[in-house]
Amino acid sequence: CDRLGTPLLVKPALGYGSIGISLESVVESDEQVSKQVQRLVQGVHEMQFPPDSIFVERFISGREFTVFLLGDSQQPESLKIYPPIELVFHSSLPETEQFRSYDNFWGEHLEESSSSSSEPFYHCQSVNSDLSEKLCEISKRAYCALGGNGYARVDIRMDKDSQELFVLEVNANCAISSIPLTDFSDLNQTSLGTILHLAGIPFAQLMSEMISEAFDRYSTKSPLVSKSA
């Protein structure tokens, strides 16, 4: 904590649906770090995490965004970047609780927290054009740096003081559906569904673009792939 500063976030390197991340994952001391590491090693949310798959990073207080990309990083000029969205967390939540933990991801968060509200712990909204350009550029850079192909969703935080953008993760297997996030009562509600909904993009168009991109990528590699098929 002396070296990195506080608060910090203890999290597994790999996971889905915020598994392994709880409200207690935000820590303020080395003792709390050790406690959370042991908790993950022993097993949480029906998963166990080996010590070398756990890391600690600075907790970024501020706004959160997500961006969906489609295409081959070997052809960055051809990447399609869908309009970014912002996750606006419930105003009653403390700053250190304004993130997607397993508890709030699965609809239990506001019952646990100091808030008595029954409203969803966050909602999504579109992003203005100037900020959208910056989010698209940093998402593209992150996607290409990791050699992305097919599709991915990039999650980003903006530090509330410096306004600097930080990439939280490049999710190479994000959930795909046409259903936007509303009340979290349906497990088929997704961030991507929200992106499509706010941008007015039909789900069928996304599917068509994904299939077309796959054909474009593999038709040059395999004589067995034919678009006419």
Side-chain angles (χ1 to χ4, degrees):
C1 287
D2 287 343
R3 181 163 59 89
L4 298 178
T6 58
L8 298 173
L9 183 68
V10 182
K11 62 192 291 189
L14 297 174
Y16 61 91
S18 297
I19 281 179
I21 302 176
S22 68
L23 300 182
E24 291 75 27
S25 297
V26 180
V27 298
E28 298 277 355
S29 69
D30 289 352
E31 291 76 18
Q32 291 178 337
V33 171
S34 297
K35 180 179 178 181
Q36 289 307 309
V37 169
Q38 288 304 311
R39 176 173 170 268
L40 291 172
V41 170
Q42 293 170 4
V44 295
H45 309 143
E46 301 182 355
M47 287 189 67
Q48 290 181 301
F49 302 92
D52 61 358
S53 71
I54 301 168
F55 70 101
V56 182
E57 65 183 9
R58 182 161 68 91
F59 179 80
I60 308 298
S61 294
R63 300 166 69 184
E64 183 165 333
F65 309 89
T66 191
V67 185
F68 185 79
L69 301 89
L70 176 66
D72 186 349
S73 61
Q74 299 302 310
Q75 299 178 341
E77 70 284 351
S78 299
L79 289 176
K80 174 161 186 178
I81 307 177
Y82 292 73
I85 61 171
E86 179 176 1
L87 284 61
V88 182
F89 292 92
H90 199 284
S91 60
S92 66
L93 298 176
E95 285 187 356
T96 54
E97 293 185 15
Q98 294 184 19
F99 67 102
R100 288 185 285 186
S101 71
Y102 181 87
D103 306 314
N104 57 30
F105 188 90
W106 298 107
E108 302 170 2
H109 173 76
L110 288 179
E111 296 178 6
E112 292 186 353
S113 75
S114 55
S115 169
S116 60
S117 171
S118 60
E119 298 177 28
F121 76 101
Y122 75 84
H123 69 274
C124 299
Q125 64 184 28
S126 301
V127 180
N128 68 57
S129 58
D130 290 342
L131 179 55
S132 178
E133 289 183 10
K134 295 179 181 178
L135 292 167
C136 289
E137 177 59 26
I138 194 173
S139 298
K140 178 179 179 179
R141 288 166 52 198
Y143 185 80
C144 292
L146 295 177
N149 65 66
Y151 61 86
R153 196 192 75 225
V154 181
D155 296 333
I156 299 168
R157 279 255 183 173
M158 175 188 282
D159 182 89
K160 67 173 184 177
D161 296 322
S162 68
Q163 306 298 295
E164 185 177 359
L165 296 173
F166 293 87
V167 173
L168 299 181
E169 71 167 324
V170 179
N171 189 331
N173 191 27
C174 60
I176 293 178
S177 80
S178 62
I179 305 175
L181 291 163
T182 51
D183 58 2
F184 303 92
S185 62
D186 186 341
L187 295 181
N188 292 314
Q189 295 179 12
T190 63
S191 297
L192 177 55
T194 309
I195 290 172
L196 298 176
H197 174 73
L198 291 177
I201 299 173
F203 188 67
Q205 178 181 327
L206 170 68
M207 291 293 99
S208 176
E209 291 171 343
M210 291 177 67
I211 293 169
S212 177
E213 188 279 332
F215 272 120
D216 287 340
R217 182 157 31 95
Y218 284 103
S219 61
T220 59
K221 300 178 181 179
S222 172
L224 301 179
V225 178
S226 170
K227 288 186 179 183
S228 62

